[in-house]
Amino acid sequence: MKTIQKLVVSSVAILAFTAMSGCSNMSQRDKNTAVGAGVGAVGGAILTGGSGLGTAGGAAVGGVIGNQIGK
């Protein structure tokens, strides 16, 4: 079961980063927000064992942090 979870988390991360690479007209702050949300989602999923609430919470916190770093 652990192998499947790792595969799912890795796949989601790869898809998120691939989707973000097509956003060339975004400002640097927008890019930081998107990257922060992606990294936060993966971190939240890992820390909570794949919980949907943990993933969403991690994405929200990561997005805020990414946005504030861009100031």
Side-chain angles (χ1 to χ4, degrees), residues 17 33-48 54-63 65:
F17 289 122
T33 302
V35 170
V39 171
V42 171
I46 291 171
L47 291 174
T48 61
T55 303
V61 172
I65 292 171

